[in-house]
Amino acid sequence: MKKIFTHGIVAGTLAAIASLIYVHVYQSALGASFDKIINSGSIVASSIFGCTLMAVGYLLLVQFKKEKLTGILNLVIVVLSFASILGPIGISLPLDIEAPELFPGLAVPLHFFPALAFFAIEPFFRQKNRNSDLTT
């Protein structure tokens, strides 16, 4: 159980690092700043929170011996990641923000980094006691 939460925290940390790098590169390349709307703390917190929730989903599958449903859980995570981009696309920014049309290009990719990080490191955290369907 502790290992699964470690998985979520590690994936969240990697997603946060990738997100912070992306934000820096994006804002530097385009000369736009959205610091009034999105900050480093919220990026780190949401990345770790999202990946921890994914880890809880995996934990529940293991607890209830439903590892064969991992593919369905992965699909749910992907669908929720896509659904979460509706927020940044539909947001009305304050009038004093320069180049508000660039905000979705910054915020939308950030919603996919947690799932990508989680799926990328999940094989490294597989437990030996899971059935062979999950390890093949």
Side-chain angles (χ1 to χ4, degrees):
M1 183 163 122
K2 187 171 143 181
K3 193 179 227 183
I4 290 179
F5 283 113
T6 302
H7 176 192
I9 292 169
V10 169
T13 302
L14 292 174
I17 291 168
S19 296
L20 292 172
I21 291 169
Y22 176 76
V23 167
H24 177 73
V25 169
Y26 186 89
Q27 291 185 137
S28 296
L30 297 177
S33 178
F34 297 104
D35 294 336
K36 293 180 182 178
I37 300 160
I38 189 169
N39 62 48
S40 299
S42 64
I43 292 170
V44 171
S46 62
S47 295
I48 292 175
F49 179 73
C51 287
T52 302
L53 281 179
M54 291 178 229
V56 168
Y58 272 66
L59 174 65
L60 291 173
L61 289 180
V62 171
Q63 291 287 341
F64 293 109
K65 301 190 182 336
K66 301 288 185 184
E67 291 92 350
K68 291 182 179 184
L69 298 177
T70 301
I72 292 173
L73 177 60
N74 290 348
L75 286 173
V76 169
I77 291 168
V78 169
V79 167
L80 291 175
S81 294
F82 273 100
S84 72
I85 68 172
L86 296 175
I89 290 174
I91 193 170
S92 293
L93 298 178
L95 295 175
D96 62 336
I97 300 293
E98 285 186 47
E101 68 277 3
L102 297 177
F103 182 72
L106 171 71
V108 168
L110 299 180
H111 287 246
F112 296 106
F113 285 138
L116 287 171
F118 190 85
F119 294 146
I121 70 162
E122 193 276 330
F124 297 106
F125 282 86
R126 286 191 181 150
Q127 296 175 4
K128 290 182 181 180
N129 64 351
R130 290 189 190 177
N131 69 21
S132 62
D133 291 344
L134 197 59
T135 58
T136 55

